[in-house]
Amino acid sequence: MGPQHEAELTRRMIALGLRENDLEEVFVRSGGPGGQNVNKTATCVMLRHRPTGLLVRCQVTRYQGANRLRARELLLDKLEQIQRARAAADQARVEKLRRQNRGRSRGAKERMLADKARRSLKKAFRGRARFD
């Protein structure tokens, strides 16, 4: 996780409009593999995005710095997913309105009129029998 990785992370944060001030970072002790290091040091990173309330917890590695970067990646992934879902919902709503307001095609109009004519013939035969 070198400088180019951090630059990519910064670029993604700028693209989403995420500021470092919006993040609340807490370090806690993690559990699991890692030996004495994870028992003594706070390597687990809990990252909260204040505006949305999203919380990410990362304890993938034994190193706090690596976990900090990974937590930011996870948070960015979640925010991007939410943004994509919102954009897809907006697009679906626009498409639905477009379909609803679209006029009927010539073939559909002709079929509709033919069905109406058939229905009116059926109804004409329902009357009382006439003996002239």
Side-chain angles (χ1 to χ4, degrees):
M1 297 202 185
Q4 68 271 21
H5 188 76
E6 289 180 27
E8 174 67 19
L9 203 59
T10 306
R11 187 196 60 76
R12 284 178 66 193
M13 286 176 71
I14 291 170
L16 278 175
L18 184 74
R19 295 186 320 246
E20 199 65 39
N21 298 344
D22 294 340
L23 301 178
E24 179 182 330
E25 194 170 38
V26 179
F27 303 103
V28 294
R29 287 196 202 131
S30 59
Q36 191 176 15
N37 183 59
V38 295
N39 298 328
K40 288 171 57 178
T41 60
T43 56
C44 179
V45 178
M46 289 175 52
L47 195 60
R48 179 187 303 275
H49 184 236
R50 286 189 192 115
T52 59
L54 279 176
L55 179 69
V56 174
R57 182 182 169 120
C58 182
Q59 60 180 27
V60 176
T61 68
R62 294 175 49 175
Y63 307 105
Q64 190 183 74
N67 284 335
R68 286 184 75 200
L69 290 175
R70 186 70 183 127
R72 280 171 172 66
E73 283 179 356
L74 293 173
L75 184 68
L76 286 171
D77 290 344
K78 279 187 176 185
L79 288 172
E80 285 172 346
Q81 183 180 7
I82 289 169
Q83 196 175 47
R84 278 194 303 269
R86 192 175 294 138
D90 288 345
Q91 182 67 29
R93 192 179 71 248
V94 166
E95 289 296 325
K96 183 177 180 180
L97 285 172
R98 186 176 292 139
R99 281 193 307 272
Q100 287 174 344
N101 293 331
R102 185 177 58 209
R104 288 193 175 91
S105 67
R106 171 180 261 162
K109 285 180 191 173
E110 288 172 357
R111 282 190 299 274
M112 183 181 67
L113 290 174
D115 286 342
K116 279 186 175 183
R118 252 184 261 116
R119 199 172 307 117
S120 75
L121 270 176
K122 270 193 214 176
K123 285 188 170 192
F125 287 123
R126 284 186 191 164
R128 290 179 142 235
R130 293 188 206 142
F131 301 105
D132 295 337

